[in-house]
Amino acid sequence: MQESIAIVGAGWAGCTAAYRLAQAGYRVTLYDAAAQPGGRARTWHWENQEAFMLDNGQHLLIGAYHATLSLLAELGTLTQLQRSPFRFCYVDGYGFKPPAWVEGSPIKAYLPPSLQLLIAWLNGTQSSTEKWALVRFFCYALGCRWQAPDGQSVIQLMRQYRQPANLVDRLWRPLCVAALNTPIELASARVFLAVLHDTFFGPAGLANDLPPATRMIKREKCHPTDYLLPKCSLGELLPEPICAWLTQQQHDVFLGELVTAVRPLSGNAPGVSVQTRQHIFQHRACVIATRWQQLTQILPPAILTAQQHQTSAQPAQPITTVYLRYPSHYRLPAPIQALRENTDNPGQWVIDKGQLDPKLAGLFAVVISTQTEIKLTQTNLVGAVCLQLQREFSHLQLPSQALDYQLIQEKRATFQCDTARVTPSPNTLHPAIWLCGDYLLARYPATLESAVRSGNAVAKAIIERFTG
Ligand SMILES: Cc1cc2nc3c(=O)[nH]c(=O)nc-3n(C[C@H](O)[C@H](O)[C@H](O)COP(=O)(O)OP(=O)(O)OC[C@H]3O[C@@H](n4cnc5c(N)ncnc54)[C@H](O)[C@@H]3O)c2cc1C
């Protein structure tokens, strides 16, 4: 007989778990409080702009996202990603700036990716002290096997590895925020080193199948640092195809259904009850795939471990995305560009959506992470971002105001990946209730990859429990 498994939460973690369990022959019921699947990585419709299906916040995938890329390949949506080479270079040439004799030349296909990065770094406009400090950083990290003590923050790591202040401000601080969405003073050095290792030295996997962007040459292999930008909306990439497949396979997908409580069945009956506002359903087992903060709202406290209780109180960090619409002939020099951030210039990254989908020509997404205290009003923030783009890309002669804008502020975009963070087990104290979500992987910060890996892992654990 098919065991019936409930999954509460149709984010990327819950969708992955549901898909894997259904593939293994279990009867799956997927619940989500929202009207559409995807959670924090869902499609969002720009009001009054019928053509614009955007995301709940601009997302970036990279070549090192093995589990995610493998799942997208199964779903047939892998080709919806556009691959472009890692480029962390400001408009003034500071950073990784590939020289003309490498960029776009056939020689590139024969250079190992790490050598390409080294050449690009040595070609940047930073001082030679800073150039050698970065090389020293990687040598130290290699010597320590990419490990750091648990309580060490990234800023302490920078001091230990003798990184100059300007290099910390212009390279390490923004890289840390981009990777961990946590300020460098709080961020965990252990997780940061793990991310750097897997991104710069891990295998690239499936992304080799992706057609390279126009600026990349044909034979160029994909590197784990490569940026993979979605050409479609995030919903179309994974959660919507999974929900459509589940429905087609006669599984239940209940969207707009808030789960108010999940309780073990009373007596000796195996299984759980899932309570929504109107109904109570019974299942053999349940996976809670919500955010970390919602565990204690849905589950009885007695079935959570001490670490799971501690996790539910982990602080969050925000991400703001400002979508700006300019006349369609405006095009940035690259699909993604790092911006120089300071008090007057809040933007950290800009993505030219028109280079991913021609329908979106002239639409730019500016990302602002971790600034818990943006003191500007919405209109002033948008105004400041427009002026920042106008200054940074002065050769484009952008107007001082966009035609239209949308601002999406996610106050609890990710958990704070700090030195005090604990990673709990996905097993609760009840044998039929499991946890799943981006917060369950000790090695990584909150990412789509962590969510997908966690979904795969919980499905495997459930299958082993019922078959073993
Ligand atoms: C603006 C922004 C930008 C980001 N950028 C990146 C990026 O560039 N790269 C990257 O890898 N990651 C990025 N992330 C992080 C990434 O989106 C998350 O790590 C990932 O989506 C988490 O997925 P999840 O399934 O674990 O959780 P969630 O997406 O939070 O899913 C939880 C689901 O549970 C549902 N739910 C909650 N409570 C209930 C209830 N009581 N009943 C029913 N349903 C419930 C919610 O509606 C939600 O759908 C970003 C996040 C944000 C917000």
Side-chain angles (χ1 to χ4, degrees):
M1 198 187 81
Q2 285 184 324
E3 301 283 7
S4 144
I5 318 272
I7 288 127
V8 179
W12 283 46
C15 282
T16 305
Y19 183 65
R20 295 293 180 218
L21 288 165
Q23 277 182 321
Y26 292 85
R27 168 135 194 77
V28 164
T29 306
L30 182 59
Y31 299 86
D32 201 290
Q36 70 208 104
R40 278 169 276 164
R42 66 177 181 276
T43 303
W44 173 85
H45 296 259
W46 185 330
E47 282 162 37
N48 307 328
Q49 298 284 345
E50 280 304 309
F52 289 178
M53 286 223 307
L54 299 174
D55 299 322
N56 174 50
Q58 178 62 47
H59 279 60
L60 172 74
L61 292 82
I62 54 170
Y65 281 17
H66 301 290
T68 310
L69 299 180
S70 156
L71 181 52
L72 297 184
E74 280 181 59
L75 296 170
T77 55
L78 185 65
T79 49
Q80 288 300 321
L81 294 175
Q82 179 172 302
R83 172 155 83 90
S84 45
F86 172 80
R87 172 75 70 107
F88 190 98
C89 183
Y90 295 101
V91 177
D92 64 5
Y94 188 104
F96 295 85
K97 183 170 178 264
W101 60 269
V102 171
E103 190 69 346
S105 120
I107 199 172
K108 201 173 173 192
Y110 301 98
L111 293 176
S114 34
L115 184 60
Q116 288 180 36
L117 283 171
L118 179 66
I119 295 170
W121 176 249
L122 295 177
N123 186 50
T125 58
Q126 53 276 21
S127 70
S128 48
T129 315
E130 291 170 57
K131 285 179 184 170
W132 292 114
L134 183 103
V135 176
R136 193 168 60 234
F137 180 97
F138 278 98
C139 294
Y140 278 145
L142 205 63
C144 297
R145 295 167 184 254
W146 301 90
Q147 279 166 12
D150 260 344
Q152 189 176 43
S153 68
V154 176
I155 196 78
Q156 288 167 338
L157 183 81
M158 295 302 149
R159 287 189 200 119
Q160 186 192 339
Y161 287 8
R162 295 191 286 121
Q163 298 296 288
N166 195 44
L167 183 64
V168 172
D169 272 348
R170 295 205 72 182
L171 180 81
W172 291 121
R173 192 177 288 280
L175 264 190
C176 176
V177 167
L180 272 60
N181 194 33
T182 303
I184 196 166
E185 291 76 14
L186 303 174
S188 156
R190 182 181 56 73
V191 178
F192 187 60
L193 283 179
V195 170
L196 284 183
H197 171 267
D198 293 1
T199 309
F200 284 89
F201 300 100
L206 276 161
N208 273 330
D209 298 344
L210 287 179
T214 40
R215 288 185 314 116
M216 296 173 89
I217 49 170
K218 273 208 182 100
R219 296 196 46 205
E220 200 173 322
K221 289 266 181 258
C222 179
H223 190 241
T225 51
D226 278 355
Y227 297 136
L228 304 174
L229 284 160
K231 291 190 274 183
C232 62
S233 72
L234 286 170
E236 291 169 302
L237 210 51
L238 183 141
E240 289 165 21
I242 286 186
C243 288
W245 181 84
L246 288 172
T247 310
Q248 192 194 26
Q249 301 291 315
Q250 317 291 323
H251 297 277
D252 290 321
V253 177
F254 295 145
L255 299 177
E257 194 80 72
L258 178 84
V259 171
T260 51
V262 171
R263 296 285 178 267
L265 292 182
S266 52
N268 288 333
V272 295
S273 74
V274 172
Q275 302 171 21
T276 65
R277 284 205 180 108
Q278 271 109 31
H279 303 101
I280 298 183
F281 301 91
Q282 288 192 1
H283 298 277
R284 178 66 185 81
C286 180
V287 177
I288 308 295
T290 63
R291 284 181 209 221
W292 69 104
Q293 297 126 322
Q294 284 146 341
L295 298 180
T296 45
Q297 294 160 17
I298 298 176
L299 292 173
I303 71 155
L304 293 173
T305 64
Q307 280 202 333
Q308 287 162 351
H309 276 286
Q310 203 178 330
T311 294
S312 69
Q314 180 68 11
Q317 283 286 340
I319 300 181
T320 300
T321 307
V322 184
Y323 288 107
L324 298 168
R325 196 164 64 82
Y326 289 95
S328 57
H329 62 273
Y330 286 107
R331 186 183 162 93
L332 297 183
I336 175 165
Q337 172 76 50
L339 298 172
R340 181 84 175 102
E341 178 208 2
N342 55 38
T343 20
D344 297 329
N345 298 294
Q348 295 158 347
W349 292 88
V350 59
I351 288 92
D352 182 349
K353 304 286 286 180
Q355 294 190 39
L356 305 168
D357 177 355
K359 286 201 299 294
L360 304 180
L363 183 73
F364 303 156
V366 177
V367 179
I368 307 169
S369 304
T370 74
Q371 293 188 341
T372 28
E373 291 182 53
I374 295 180
K375 300 219 171 64
L376 302 170
T377 61
Q378 286 203 358
T379 326
N380 289 347
L381 177 65
V382 172
V385 169
C386 288
L387 289 177
Q388 180 181 9
L389 293 187
Q390 194 186 39
R391 274 191 297 268
E392 289 254 5
F393 303 102
S394 50
H395 63 288
L396 293 182
Q397 301 190 322
L398 283 169
S400 58
Q401 282 186 342
L403 295 174
D404 201 355
Y405 72 86
Q406 270 295 337
L407 188 132
I408 302 182
Q409 284 180 308
E410 267 279 351
K411 291 203 171 119
R412 293 175 302 157
T414 67
F415 59 81
Q416 182 169 288
C417 190
D418 57 30
T419 53
R421 170 193 169 213
V422 293
T423 310
S425 155
N427 299 324
T428 66
L429 298 174
H430 190 275
I433 301 178
W434 278 267
L435 309 182
C436 162
D438 63 353
Y439 61 93
L440 288 161
L441 260 84
R443 188 171 173 80
Y444 291 125
T447 56
L448 298 172
E449 176 71 1
S450 317
V452 170
R453 283 195 193 200
S454 166
N456 282 338
V458 82
K460 189 163 172 265
I462 292 174
I463 295 164
E464 280 170 8
R465 170 79 58 89
F466 285 120
T467 52

